[in-house]
Amino acid sequence: MTYKDKLDRILLKVQKPSRYIGGELNSVEKDPEKVTMRFAFCFPDTYDIGMSHLGMKILYSLINDVPGYWCERVYMPLPDMEEQMRRHDILLYGLESLQPIKDADFIGFTLQYELSFSNILAMLDLAGLPVYAKDRPALTPIVCAGGPCVCNAEPIADFVDLCILGEGEEVNLELMRLLERCKAEGTTKHEFLVRAARIEGIYVPSLYEVEYNDDCTIKSITPTEGAPEKVRKRIIKDFDSVFYPDTFVVPFSEIVHDRAVVEVLRGCIRGCRFCQAGYLYRPFREKTVETIEKETISLCESTGYDEVSLTSLSTSDHSEIERMLGTLATYSDAARVNLSLPSLRIDRFSKELVDRIKSVRKSGLTFAPEAGTQRLRDVINKNITEENVMNSCRIAFEGGYSSVKLYFMLGLPDETMEDIDGIADLCQKIIDLFYSIENRPKGGIKISVSLSTFIPKPFTPFQFEPQPTEDVIRERQKHLMEVVNKKRVTVSRSHFDVTHLEAALARGDRRLSAVIYSAWKKGCKLDGWTEYYKYDKWMEAFKECGIDPAFYVNRTRSYDEIMPWEQMDVLVSKEFLIRENKKAHEAVPTPNCRESCAGCGVNRCVGRPCFEYDK
Amino acid sequence: MANTATKNMRIFFSKTGRAIYISHLDLYRLFQRSIKRGKLPVWETEGFNPHVYITFALPLALGTAGVRESLDLKLIEDISREELISRFNDALPRDIRVTDAAEPVMKPTEIALSEYEARFECDNAAFAEFLSSEHIMTEKKTKRGIAELDLKEHLDILERSDGYLRFTFPSGTEFNINAGLLFDAFEKQFGTEIYTLRITRTAIKCRNGEIFH
């Protein structure tokens, strides 16, 4: 019986079956006889989430454009589907071929968040493969991982064969060509890995020996067999002409981001000290308005989507944002397509921009001051003043908006109760501003405060910082609830349980592989889903492995401590991070990259300054 | 192109293969996207969020295939029947095919019943016994809650053999019975599972006995 027949027997017994059958518009089918390299691209979360991910769409099209190479999409089934699959001996399969992925040449995971780690094990197991790399002696499938979390891949080091650091548009194909050669030569898996480690951006964890000090900190990380001392992040130098798909697979069912997406720039000039993406995706590169327009039209026309989103870490930092919006609006008006603009910077919020967004869709406005006082905003280098916030709100209110969403972080380094009071004060000032405006919208103002918990991440100036303990976090949350204007402000808080685990995994070392294995054995998976998350099982797993999460979460790390990710080079120097950390504790902000160069080190690789400065 | 409706059209399509797993709501959005993608001259609603305006005569249950389903739309520009069909098919996923297009004759409210064809594997003797029972009781979700329903009362068997059944159930805007309910009732009563069930709606008929067109 084929997998299609087997699936036909079970799909009507699961929720939203169309996400498990493939065959969507623009999905790529190839003749298996003519395929030399099969890449099973796994997003370690459900279809609805994974199908929304832009990076996967880019690499999917890129690989499939190569004759003989076939990239398939694979997602984590929900428990109802997993149960049916296990009952009917259906191994995890690719949506394009409906064939088990254990027979693919590569099984590649994209790691977007730490809470997806346990899903790697769950998916390998569902694929019928051993979860530990050492138990998979054959040359194929090679299990690899990419995405931001591989900047510290140590917690999953025992499960994957190799990691791809940085942008995959070039290196993925180099890797596939190497495996194609090794298969032809009949090399061992080990030989392939040794050769792969010579490709820039490839990290093979098994080729590095890690020694620990008595206090469990790392003593040394030693490369073997010619693997590089430092694995250098790959970047695309000519971003304007980088490969971009002219079409997306259009899912049958509604997914989280169900629209066309155009990437307008990569990197970020801002340097917020808590933000890992802001450092990992450096240098700042943007596409020309013409390229963005071309990609927008091509995507909308080939998918039929009536909404297109301009995405990046900070879209309004595009040097030609106003011209871009003007050009795109001409197209979107004529084609009756909606234009949506996430991640707008508060201080770039001009009247024109408000009008532009308003002409598309009048939803609420979202600002991210992140901290309640100017002092703390200077600590985290969120270069926004209260005046910026107020000006933006005034424009918004006068433009007819009456609801505002504000993002804040709690537990930031050097945070005091005054900073928590500052959040409530800022909300009150916005409320007062609203009622002071004569032509304000009818009805009252609504402010939603989203209060997340600070999680120190590798390759940020805060990688040395502790996350406050549970007591401190709960006390500060409680304090905010007491001082905030409850009539006008609703506060949503992140769950301590979840941020605690994420904090441990983010800066963990190789010893955590045992914890992840143990937690998975206890049934942990889909940890990003509140209904499936089992914090107590995770804590049990830590305990059984004799590891205290506090070692990773609540400890201040000295500048000279060897970090578990010291062998990775994301092109931002540790000296720079230390410099920024010191400035943070002095509450001194750093100007954004466009104003002046802070010397992070990334232009070593660009070979020239990131921006043309006047002087 | 001015967004002014000039002509009503009824599009007939098949939904088979992998497309049977597409829910009605998702099918609605799929057609909207396909119309955009095929740049078909179809009237869109005005207002803040303009969208392609289409209506389906009779929803098809998830898991049931259809060979002559229909949807109505308004054209804003003259386009030949052949071109309309071919541009739809270029824009649609493989397992949904537009087979015909014409100006609507009947109203969806005239629909009275659907004809189905089912192929399945199960204990044939048990299934025969099931069909010959005096009542086939099941529960049906209605707007007012769950109601008891005797399927036997509404079932009209046209043809049967082992693993094959051709039958009709009432359909329409007022009262509609999902074909799958019959097989669910069998599974429930006989404590067995049918795994290879394939149901296809082969025709939609009106009160006067004519095929809906």
Side-chain angles (χ1 to χ4, degrees):
Chain A
M1 200 188 291
T2 66
Y3 261 45
K4 170 73 171 55
D5 293 335
K6 283 191 177 191
L7 288 167
D8 277 334
R9 291 165 72 106
I10 63 168
L11 281 180
L12 290 177
K13 301 181 190 292
V14 303
Q15 290 290 311
K16 293 215 261 168
S18 67
R19 57 187 157 177
Y20 299 118
I21 192 69
E24 306 95 322
L25 184 74
N26 301 330
S27 66
V28 178
E29 277 181 32
K30 295 199 178 188
D31 178 359
E33 297 293 310
K34 292 180 186 144
V35 169
T36 53
M37 275 282 118
R38 193 171 148 225
F39 194 110
F41 202 138
C42 301
F43 192 99
D45 214 313
T46 61
Y47 180 93
D48 310 44
I49 295 175
M51 274 294 286
S52 305
H53 183 243
L54 178 61
M56 188 164 174
K57 294 176 201 280
I58 295 175
L59 296 173
Y60 175 82
S61 297
L62 176 94
I63 295 171
N64 280 323
D65 269 10
V66 180
Y69 286 14
W70 196 7
C71 182
E72 297 198 61
R73 295 160 300 138
V74 188
Y75 304 96
M76 175 80 181
L78 279 169
D80 64 340
M81 181 61 177
E82 176 173 346
E83 194 206 320
Q84 291 291 340
M85 286 170 68
R86 290 193 186 276
R87 268 176 66 187
H88 295 274
D89 297 318
I90 298 174
L91 296 172
L92 193 63
Y93 54 90
L95 286 176
E96 278 66 17
S97 67
L98 301 184
Q99 291 297 313
I101 61 165
K102 69 172 171 51
D103 303 323
D105 299 294
F106 282 98
I107 296 181
F109 289 93
T110 176
L111 301 179
Q112 299 297 314
Y113 31 88
E114 293 81 359
L115 291 175
S116 64
F117 287 173
S118 62
N119 290 343
I120 301 176
L121 282 68
M123 289 175 81
L124 288 174
D125 186 55
L126 258 176
L129 290 166
V131 297
Y132 278 108
K134 63 175 168 49
D135 299 330
R136 298 186 303 261
L139 176 59
T140 61
I142 291 292
V143 176
C144 55
C149 290
V150 303
C151 75
N152 177 27
E154 294 310 280
I156 54 152
D158 289 354
F159 311 116
V160 297
D161 299 314
L162 63 86
C163 297
I164 301 159
L165 184 64
E167 296 164 359
E169 282 105 332
E170 292 164 351
V171 66
N172 278 23
L173 295 179
E174 293 167 26
L175 199 60
M176 290 177 77
R177 280 184 214 113
L178 176 67
L179 183 60
E180 206 176 358
R181 279 201 302 279
C182 286
K183 263 178 89 176
E185 289 172 32
T187 73
T188 59
K189 175 177 174 181
H190 182 74
E191 173 61 25
F192 165 75
L193 291 175
V194 169
R195 288 200 216 169
R198 290 179 204 143
I199 299 177
E200 190 174 77
I202 301 298
Y203 172 56
V204 178
S206 59
L207 298 181
Y208 292 76
E209 277 166 17
V210 181
E211 280 187 281
Y212 300 90
N213 295 309
D214 291 340
D215 64 359
C216 290
T217 56
I218 288 167
K219 189 176 174 193
S220 64
I221 302 170
T222 318
T224 64
E225 309 216 34
E229 197 97 9
K230 290 264 188 189
V231 178
R232 245 179 153 212
K233 171 180 87 174
R234 291 293 291 260
I235 59 156
I236 301 299
K237 287 188 180 164
D238 182 3
F239 182 60
D240 190 50
S241 57
V242 72
F243 175 87
Y244 201 74
D246 48 22
T247 191
F248 286 175
V249 176
V250 184
F252 291 135
S253 58
E254 196 161 13
I255 55 169
V256 180
H257 298 296
D258 208 6
R259 60 183 80 97
V261 179
V262 174
E263 187 186 20
V264 299
L265 59 87
R266 217 174 262 183
C268 183
I269 60 171
R270 299 285 159 174
C272 300
R273 290 174 182 137
F274 54 84
C275 175
Q276 190 184 39
Y279 298 94
L280 284 188
Y281 293 105
R282 287 181 182 212
F284 179 87
R285 292 148 291 164
E286 53 185 41
K287 284 183 187 166
T288 59
V289 172
E290 288 66 34
T291 303
I292 293 164
E293 183 192 19
K294 191 184 89 208
E295 290 173 355
T296 301
I297 296 173
S298 159
L299 274 181
C300 289
E301 293 196 340
S302 65
T303 59
Y305 274 125
D306 63 0
E307 184 176 356
V308 58
S309 162
L310 303 179
T311 189
S312 74
L313 290 173
S314 183
T315 297
S316 46
D317 278 329
H318 193 282
S319 57
E320 293 194 280
I321 180 75
E322 306 270 339
R323 184 165 79 87
M324 183 205 307
L325 293 176
T327 307
L328 293 181
T330 311
Y331 164 73
S332 67
D333 288 351
R336 301 173 76 91
V337 165
N338 291 319
L339 202 58
S340 81
L341 300 158
S343 60
L344 288 179
R345 283 282 305 196
I346 208 164
D347 48 347
R348 295 270 310 212
F349 222 124
S350 66
K351 178 91 176 63
E352 291 71 36
L353 220 51
V354 173
D355 290 345
R356 190 57 90 188
I357 309 163
K358 232 177 53 182
S359 73
V360 173
R361 186 169 293 191
K362 195 164 177 172
S363 52
L365 281 179
T366 304
F367 302 128
E370 307 292 1
T373 62
Q374 193 56 49
R375 184 198 63 85
L376 194 56
R377 284 195 291 274
D378 288 342
V379 169
I380 63 175
N381 202 37
K382 189 85 192 183
N383 290 345
I384 284 176
T385 62
E386 189 174 300
E387 200 190 335
N388 294 146
V389 178
M390 289 307 175
N391 282 341
S392 302
C393 284
R394 177 181 291 279
I395 295 170
F397 295 150
E398 285 172 349
Y401 288 88
S402 63
S403 70
V404 178
K405 189 166 185 179
L406 299 171
Y407 284 99
F408 290 100
M409 231 181 262
L410 189 138
L412 288 162
D414 296 341
E415 180 182 82
T416 66
M417 277 305 183
E418 276 171 35
D419 300 304
I420 308 297
D421 289 330
I423 296 175
D425 293 345
L426 187 62
C427 290
Q428 194 53 50
K429 280 178 189 161
I430 294 173
I431 294 166
D432 295 342
L433 171 77
F434 180 83
Y435 288 103
S436 74
I437 294 172
E438 277 187 25
N439 58 344
R440 64 176 179 266
K442 286 192 189 104
I445 178 179
K446 268 191 287 194
I447 299 180
S448 335
V449 166
S450 170
L451 198 60
S452 63
T453 305
F454 163 66
I455 299 174
K457 293 277 170 108
F459 296 109
T460 67
F462 290 159
Q463 65 175 5
F464 312 99
E465 300 294 327
Q467 185 184 57
T469 57
E470 181 170 4
D471 294 346
V472 174
I473 290 171
R474 291 202 192 278
E475 191 198 344
R476 289 183 192 170
Q477 285 180 342
K478 195 170 147 247
H479 183 75
L480 179 68
M481 299 312 281
E482 284 162 7
V483 294
V484 82
N485 179 334
K486 280 190 235 9
K487 197 176 162 207
R488 297 280 165 216
V489 184
T490 51
V491 181
S492 62
R493 290 168 287 181
S494 58
H495 291 280
F496 169 78
D497 294 0
V498 180
T499 50
H500 185 230
L501 177 65
E502 189 182 329
L505 294 175
R507 292 186 299 164
D509 55 31
R510 270 181 198 201
R511 298 179 311 147
L512 290 189
S513 285
V515 177
I516 294 171
Y517 179 80
S518 161
W520 167 67
K521 274 282 173 194
K522 291 172 188 300
C524 292
K525 61 190 166 196
L526 293 166
D527 293 309
W529 296 70
T530 358
E531 60 264 56
Y532 303 118
Y533 183 57
K534 301 182 181 81
Y535 181 63
D536 50 336
K537 296 285 175 205
W538 270 103
M539 290 305 114
E540 256 176 45
F542 271 101
K543 213 165 177 184
E544 276 172 24
C545 297
I547 292 175
D548 181 0
F551 175 77
Y552 304 103
V553 180
N554 309 112
R555 185 171 60 88
T556 303
R557 303 184 191 207
S558 71
Y559 292 148
D560 55 11
E561 180 176 330
I562 297 175
M563 302 291 175
W565 52 89
E566 206 87 23
Q567 72 284 32
M568 308 298 255
D569 177 10
V570 303
L571 310 177
V572 171
S573 72
K574 191 171 182 182
E575 293 71 36
F576 166 72
L577 297 178
I578 293 170
R579 237 169 29 236
E580 281 292 298
N581 182 276
K582 288 178 179 164
K583 283 171 82 178
H585 289 300
E586 293 157 11
V588 176
T590 296
N592 75 53
C593 298
R594 193 169 264 143
E595 285 168 32
S596 66
C597 178
C600 70
V602 75
N603 56 13
R604 273 183 305 157
C605 149
V606 183
R608 57 176 170 77
C610 300
F611 294 95
E612 285 169 27
Y613 300 104
D614 289 344
K615 274 173 237 168
Chain B
M1 200 189 309
N3 186 37
T4 315
T6 56
K7 192 176 177 186
N8 290 325
M9 281 302 266
R10 183 158 290 160
I11 308 296
F12 295 92
F13 64 94
S14 63
K15 181 176 182 255
T16 59
R18 300 184 194 203
I20 66 166
Y21 299 110
I22 303 171
S23 71
H24 182 65
L25 183 66
D26 288 334
L27 185 73
Y28 178 80
R29 298 178 325 108
L30 183 150
F31 266 103
Q32 287 183 318
R33 283 193 302 263
S34 300
I35 286 164
K36 276 273 188 204
R37 187 162 179 260
K39 293 187 177 166
L40 288 157
V42 175
W43 185 74
E44 296 185 23
T45 60
E46 298 290 343
F48 220 85
N49 278 312
H51 58 269
V52 172
Y53 185 79
I54 49 176
T55 54
F56 289 82
L58 187 66
L60 185 61
L62 181 78
T64 302
V67 293
R68 198 178 159 82
E69 299 299 309
S70 76
L71 74 89
D72 292 354
L73 48 80
K74 294 175 164 78
L75 288 178
I76 54 172
E77 192 184 89
D78 245 352
I79 173 173
S80 75
R81 176 183 162 274
E82 289 71 26
E83 197 189 342
L84 187 63
I85 294 173
S86 89
R87 270 164 71 179
F88 250 119
N89 284 332
D90 286 345
L92 283 162
R94 190 185 48 198
D95 288 342
I96 294 174
R97 296 287 90 191
V98 167
T99 52
D100 201 359
E103 283 189 68
V105 178
M106 294 156 172
K107 290 198 190 95
T109 47
E110 293 175 52
I111 292 173
L113 57 86
S114 291
E115 205 174 290
Y116 299 97
E117 197 178 73
R119 288 170 204 280
F120 47 93
E121 272 168 42
C122 69
D123 179 343
N124 292 320
F127 197 75
E129 185 191 330
F130 167 74
L131 284 184
S132 58
S133 48
E134 199 173 329
H135 301 284
I136 300 176
M137 300 309 293
T138 189
E139 283 174 344
K140 188 182 191 297
K141 273 181 228 155
T142 68
K143 278 171 198 154
R144 266 165 284 157
I146 291 171
E148 281 271 294
L149 180 73
D150 185 359
L151 293 176
K152 191 67 190 280
E153 215 175 283
H154 303 286
L155 175 70
D156 194 358
I157 296 172
L158 306 174
E159 192 185 343
R160 58 183 273 207
S161 57
D162 285 352
Y164 178 82
L165 188 69
R166 202 154 66 79
F167 62 100
T168 65
F169 259 157
S171 270
T173 41
E174 297 285 306
F175 182 64
N176 194 64
I177 298 181
N178 178 346
L181 286 181
L182 183 68
F183 300 89
D184 291 347
F186 171 67
E187 286 185 330
K188 215 170 157 190
Q189 275 184 32
F190 284 76
T192 171
E193 275 186 281
I194 304 178
Y195 269 110
T196 51
L197 178 64
R198 279 283 152 266
I199 309 176
T200 305
R201 175 149 71 192
T202 48
I204 297 172
K205 288 182 173 170
C206 293
R207 261 179 242 116
N208 61 7
E210 260 189 81
I211 300 265
F212 178 73
H213 64 283

